[in-house]
Amino acid sequence: MVQPMPLTAFAVRASADEGDGESGGQNQVGVATKTRAKPKKPSQFKVLMLNDDYTPMEFVVLVLKRFFNMDLEQATRVMLHVHQKGVGVCGIFPYEIAETKVNQVMDFAKQNQHPLQCTLEKA
Ligand code: TYC
């Protein structure tokens, strides 16, 4: 994924380049290029499922299978963990994918009139 470079750092360096009268000085251009190109690891986010008293167990298992590609055994294990402990991890993803999964789960729960809650947390 392309990351926006830190604007302030670039602006300071760019104006220093213009002002010093030395075209082609080694530092300025090299530093700006390096700042722009530096690859950044996309940060990872846990998708968490929360327990409640009303959502049927079968529905939670269906959600875990449908949106997190779990098989019946995995989905049942995670659902029971959430049921007993209050919260559990459905998976760890880059931010945009994690956000999409949370929205898919919340929309699907709403459509089916269940109060199931799903959220994000930085991994
Ligand atoms: N506690 C719910 C019940 O007893 C089941 C449940 C499990 C609900 C996991 C939400 O994330 C959840 N029907």
Side-chain angles (χ1 to χ4, degrees), residues 9-32:
F10 182 65
V12 168
R13 285 169 185 149
S15 59
D17 285 357
E18 288 164 16
D20 69 10
E22 290 184 12
S23 59
Q26 275 195 331
N27 290 339
Q28 310 94 321
V29 173
V31 170

PDB file of all heavy atoms in Angstrom, residues 9-32:
ATOM      1  N   ALA A   9       7.821  17.174   7.341  1.00  0.00           N
ATOM      2  CA  ALA A   9       9.237  16.862   7.152  1.00  0.00           C
ATOM      3  C   ALA A   9       9.661  17.225   5.733  1.00  0.00           C
ATOM      4  O   ALA A   9      10.707  17.838   5.524  1.00  0.00           O
ATOM      5  CB  ALA A   9       9.485  15.384   7.406  1.00  0.00           C
ATOM      6  N   PHE A  10       8.822  16.931   4.752  1.00  0.00           N
ATOM      7  CA  PHE A  10       9.160  17.204   3.371  1.00  0.00           C
ATOM      8  C   PHE A  10       9.216  18.708   3.106  1.00  0.00           C
ATOM      9  O   PHE A  10      10.137  19.202   2.482  1.00  0.00           O
ATOM     10  CB  PHE A  10       8.149  16.545   2.429  1.00  0.00           C
ATOM     11  CG  PHE A  10       8.484  16.746   0.980  1.00  0.00           C
ATOM     12  CD1 PHE A  10       9.632  16.187   0.442  1.00  0.00           C
ATOM     13  CD2 PHE A  10       7.681  17.513   0.182  1.00  0.00           C
ATOM     14  CE1 PHE A  10       9.955  16.368  -0.882  1.00  0.00           C
ATOM     15  CE2 PHE A  10       8.003  17.705  -1.153  1.00  0.00           C
ATOM     16  CZ  PHE A  10       9.139  17.123  -1.686  1.00  0.00           C
ATOM     17  N   ALA A  11       8.231  19.435   3.618  1.00  0.00           N
ATOM     18  CA  ALA A  11       8.157  20.881   3.389  1.00  0.00           C
ATOM     19  C   ALA A  11       9.417  21.569   3.919  1.00  0.00           C
ATOM     20  O   ALA A  11      10.002  22.404   3.242  1.00  0.00           O
ATOM     21  CB  ALA A  11       6.920  21.455   4.055  1.00  0.00           C
ATOM     22  N   VAL A  12       9.857  21.205   5.080  1.00  0.00           N
ATOM     23  CA  VAL A  12      11.049  21.816   5.673  1.00  0.00           C
ATOM     24  C   VAL A  12      12.261  21.543   4.789  1.00  0.00           C
ATOM     25  O   VAL A  12      13.000  22.450   4.436  1.00  0.00           O
ATOM     26  CB  VAL A  12      11.298  21.255   7.097  1.00  0.00           C
ATOM     27  CG1 VAL A  12      12.669  21.659   7.585  1.00  0.00           C
ATOM     28  CG2 VAL A  12      10.229  21.781   8.032  1.00  0.00           C
ATOM     29  N   ARG A  13      12.407  20.308   4.379  1.00  0.00           N
ATOM     30  CA  ARG A  13      13.582  19.961   3.564  1.00  0.00           C
ATOM     31  C   ARG A  13      13.529  20.627   2.199  1.00  0.00           C
ATOM     32  O   ARG A  13      14.514  21.100   1.690  1.00  0.00           O
ATOM     33  CB  ARG A  13      13.676  18.448   3.405  1.00  0.00           C
ATOM     34  CG  ARG A  13      14.172  17.805   4.680  1.00  0.00           C
ATOM     35  CD  ARG A  13      14.021  16.320   4.637  1.00  0.00           C
ATOM     36  NE  ARG A  13      14.394  15.742   5.934  1.00  0.00           N
ATOM     37  CZ  ARG A  13      13.871  14.656   6.443  1.00  0.00           C
ATOM     38  NH1 ARG A  13      12.935  14.008   5.778  1.00  0.00           N
ATOM     39  NH2 ARG A  13      14.261  14.214   7.587  1.00  0.00           N
ATOM     40  N   ALA A  14      12.323  20.718   1.600  1.00  0.00           N
ATOM     41  CA  ALA A  14      12.192  21.318   0.278  1.00  0.00           C
ATOM     42  C   ALA A  14      12.586  22.796   0.328  1.00  0.00           C
ATOM     43  O   ALA A  14      13.304  23.283  -0.524  1.00  0.00           O
ATOM     44  CB  ALA A  14      10.763  21.172  -0.227  1.00  0.00           C
ATOM     45  N   SER A  15      12.147  23.518   1.363  1.00  0.00           N
ATOM     46  CA  SER A  15      12.469  24.939   1.407  1.00  0.00           C
ATOM     47  C   SER A  15      13.955  25.128   1.702  1.00  0.00           C
ATOM     48  O   SER A  15      14.562  26.076   1.218  1.00  0.00           O
ATOM     49  CB  SER A  15      11.590  25.654   2.438  1.00  0.00           C
ATOM     50  OG  SER A  15      11.794  25.071   3.700  1.00  0.00           O
ATOM     51  N   ALA A  16      14.545  24.262   2.440  1.00  0.00           N
ATOM     52  CA  ALA A  16      15.992  24.346   2.674  1.00  0.00           C
ATOM     53  C   ALA A  16      16.739  24.179   1.348  1.00  0.00           C
ATOM     54  O   ALA A  16      17.698  24.895   1.072  1.00  0.00           O
ATOM     55  CB  ALA A  16      16.433  23.273   3.661  1.00  0.00           C
ATOM     56  N   ASP A  17      16.258  23.306   0.484  1.00  0.00           N
ATOM     57  CA  ASP A  17      16.874  23.090  -0.826  1.00  0.00           C
ATOM     58  C   ASP A  17      16.872  24.365  -1.658  1.00  0.00           C
ATOM     59  O   ASP A  17      17.857  24.730  -2.261  1.00  0.00           O
ATOM     60  CB  ASP A  17      16.093  22.027  -1.625  1.00  0.00           C
ATOM     61  CG  ASP A  17      16.374  20.635  -1.091  1.00  0.00           C
ATOM     62  OD1 ASP A  17      17.194  20.512  -0.172  1.00  0.00           O
ATOM     63  OD2 ASP A  17      15.762  19.695  -1.625  1.00  0.00           O
ATOM     64  N   GLU A  18      15.708  25.045  -1.671  1.00  0.00           N
ATOM     65  CA  GLU A  18      15.590  26.238  -2.507  1.00  0.00           C
ATOM     66  C   GLU A  18      16.503  27.347  -2.020  1.00  0.00           C
ATOM     67  O   GLU A  18      17.106  28.074  -2.792  1.00  0.00           O
ATOM     68  CB  GLU A  18      14.141  26.762  -2.454  1.00  0.00           C
ATOM     69  CG  GLU A  18      13.186  25.865  -3.202  1.00  0.00           C
ATOM     70  CD  GLU A  18      11.736  26.149  -2.836  1.00  0.00           C
ATOM     71  OE1 GLU A  18      11.470  27.217  -2.248  1.00  0.00           O
ATOM     72  OE2 GLU A  18      10.887  25.294  -3.134  1.00  0.00           O
ATOM     73  N   GLY A  19      16.627  27.469  -0.725  1.00  0.00           N
ATOM     74  CA  GLY A  19      17.291  28.629  -0.151  1.00  0.00           C
ATOM     75  C   GLY A  19      18.804  28.570  -0.165  1.00  0.00           C
ATOM     76  O   GLY A  19      19.448  29.601  -0.161  1.00  0.00           O
ATOM     77  N   ASP A  20      19.414  27.447  -0.230  1.00  0.00           N
ATOM     78  CA  ASP A  20      20.851  27.415   0.042  1.00  0.00           C
ATOM     79  C   ASP A  20      21.729  27.661  -1.191  1.00  0.00           C
ATOM     80  O   ASP A  20      22.934  27.726  -1.086  1.00  0.00           O
ATOM     81  CB  ASP A  20      21.242  26.093   0.742  1.00  0.00           C
ATOM     82  CG  ASP A  20      21.115  24.911  -0.193  1.00  0.00           C
ATOM     83  OD1 ASP A  20      20.924  25.135  -1.408  1.00  0.00           O
ATOM     84  OD2 ASP A  20      21.190  23.779   0.278  1.00  0.00           O
ATOM     85  N   GLY A  21      21.093  27.773  -2.352  1.00  0.00           N
ATOM     86  CA  GLY A  21      21.852  28.154  -3.532  1.00  0.00           C
ATOM     87  C   GLY A  21      22.750  27.069  -4.089  1.00  0.00           C
ATOM     88  O   GLY A  21      23.447  27.293  -5.063  1.00  0.00           O
ATOM     89  N   GLU A  22      22.759  25.930  -3.507  1.00  0.00           N
ATOM     90  CA  GLU A  22      23.596  24.851  -4.036  1.00  0.00           C
ATOM     91  C   GLU A  22      22.723  23.814  -4.720  1.00  0.00           C
ATOM     92  O   GLU A  22      22.141  22.963  -4.062  1.00  0.00           O
ATOM     93  CB  GLU A  22      24.374  24.184  -2.893  1.00  0.00           C
ATOM     94  CG  GLU A  22      25.448  25.088  -2.340  1.00  0.00           C
ATOM     95  CD  GLU A  22      26.274  24.372  -1.271  1.00  0.00           C
ATOM     96  OE1 GLU A  22      26.167  23.150  -1.136  1.00  0.00           O
ATOM     97  OE2 GLU A  22      27.047  25.073  -0.593  1.00  0.00           O
ATOM     98  N   SER A  23      22.630  23.891  -6.024  1.00  0.00           N
ATOM     99  CA  SER A  23      21.841  22.886  -6.722  1.00  0.00           C
ATOM    100  C   SER A  23      22.633  21.587  -6.743  1.00  0.00           C
ATOM    101  O   SER A  23      23.849  21.595  -6.914  1.00  0.00           O
ATOM    102  CB  SER A  23      21.527  23.349  -8.142  1.00  0.00           C
ATOM    103  OG  SER A  23      22.735  23.578  -8.827  1.00  0.00           O
ATOM    104  N   GLY A  24      21.965  20.504  -6.512  1.00  0.00           N
ATOM    105  CA  GLY A  24      22.632  19.207  -6.572  1.00  0.00           C
ATOM    106  C   GLY A  24      23.441  18.864  -5.344  1.00  0.00           C
ATOM    107  O   GLY A  24      24.250  17.961  -5.384  1.00  0.00           O
ATOM    108  N   GLY A  25      23.275  19.616  -4.240  1.00  0.00           N
ATOM    109  CA  GLY A  25      23.921  19.211  -2.986  1.00  0.00           C
ATOM    110  C   GLY A  25      23.470  17.799  -2.640  1.00  0.00           C
ATOM    111  O   GLY A  25      22.318  17.457  -2.857  1.00  0.00           O
ATOM    112  N   GLN A  26      24.351  17.017  -2.119  1.00  0.00           N
ATOM    113  CA  GLN A  26      24.040  15.582  -1.971  1.00  0.00           C
ATOM    114  C   GLN A  26      22.910  15.296  -0.993  1.00  0.00           C
ATOM    115  O   GLN A  26      22.077  14.448  -1.239  1.00  0.00           O
ATOM    116  CB  GLN A  26      25.293  14.837  -1.502  1.00  0.00           C
ATOM    117  CG  GLN A  26      26.186  14.454  -2.669  1.00  0.00           C
ATOM    118  CD  GLN A  26      27.197  13.432  -2.265  1.00  0.00           C
ATOM    119  OE1 GLN A  26      27.613  13.383  -1.107  1.00  0.00           O
ATOM    120  NE2 GLN A  26      27.612  12.595  -3.190  1.00  0.00           N
ATOM    121  N   ASN A  27      22.886  16.027   0.108  1.00  0.00           N
ATOM    122  CA  ASN A  27      21.949  15.651   1.167  1.00  0.00           C
ATOM    123  C   ASN A  27      20.491  15.838   0.802  1.00  0.00           C
ATOM    124  O   ASN A  27      19.706  14.920   0.929  1.00  0.00           O
ATOM    125  CB  ASN A  27      22.234  16.462   2.432  1.00  0.00           C
ATOM    126  CG  ASN A  27      23.537  16.022   3.059  1.00  0.00           C
ATOM    127  OD1 ASN A  27      23.998  14.908   2.784  1.00  0.00           O
ATOM    128  ND2 ASN A  27      24.122  16.888   3.864  1.00  0.00           N
ATOM    129  N   GLN A  28      20.151  17.056   0.321  1.00  0.00           N
ATOM    130  CA  GLN A  28      18.743  17.434   0.273  1.00  0.00           C
ATOM    131  C   GLN A  28      17.904  16.458  -0.544  1.00  0.00           C
ATOM    132  O   GLN A  28      16.936  15.907  -0.058  1.00  0.00           O
ATOM    133  CB  GLN A  28      18.568  18.838  -0.320  1.00  0.00           C
ATOM    134  CG  GLN A  28      19.447  19.893   0.308  1.00  0.00           C
ATOM    135  CD  GLN A  28      20.737  20.085  -0.445  1.00  0.00           C
ATOM    136  OE1 GLN A  28      21.334  19.107  -0.919  1.00  0.00           O
ATOM    137  NE2 GLN A  28      21.182  21.315  -0.582  1.00  0.00           N
ATOM    138  N   VAL A  29      18.252  16.291  -1.801  1.00  0.00           N
ATOM    139  CA  VAL A  29      17.446  15.466  -2.683  1.00  0.00           C
ATOM    140  C   VAL A  29      17.422  14.023  -2.180  1.00  0.00           C
ATOM    141  O   VAL A  29      16.384  13.413  -2.101  1.00  0.00           O
ATOM    142  CB  VAL A  29      17.967  15.539  -4.132  1.00  0.00           C
ATOM    143  CG1 VAL A  29      17.212  14.540  -5.005  1.00  0.00           C
ATOM    144  CG2 VAL A  29      17.809  16.958  -4.657  1.00  0.00           C
ATOM    145  N   GLY A  30      18.588  13.556  -1.774  1.00  0.00           N
ATOM    146  CA  GLY A  30      18.672  12.189  -1.267  1.00  0.00           C
ATOM    147  C   GLY A  30      17.761  11.954  -0.068  1.00  0.00           C
ATOM    148  O   GLY A  30      17.041  10.969  -0.032  1.00  0.00           O
ATOM    149  N   VAL A  31      17.753  12.907   0.833  1.00  0.00           N
ATOM    150  CA  VAL A  31      16.929  12.739   2.034  1.00  0.00           C
ATOM    151  C   VAL A  31      15.456  12.739   1.663  1.00  0.00           C
ATOM    152  O   VAL A  31      14.703  11.881   2.093  1.00  0.00           O
ATOM    153  CB  VAL A  31      17.231  13.850   3.077  1.00  0.00           C
ATOM    154  CG1 VAL A  31      16.208  13.800   4.191  1.00  0.00           C
ATOM    155  CG2 VAL A  31      18.632  13.669   3.623  1.00  0.00           C
ATOM    156  N   ALA A  32      15.031  13.687   0.804  1.00  0.00           N
ATOM    157  CA  ALA A  32      13.619  13.777   0.436  1.00  0.00           C
ATOM    158  C   ALA A  32      13.179  12.506  -0.272  1.00  0.00           C
ATOM    159  O   ALA A  32      12.120  11.961   0.002  1.00  0.00           O
ATOM    160  CB  ALA A  32      13.394  14.990  -0.471  1.00  0.00           C
TER     161      ALA A  32
END
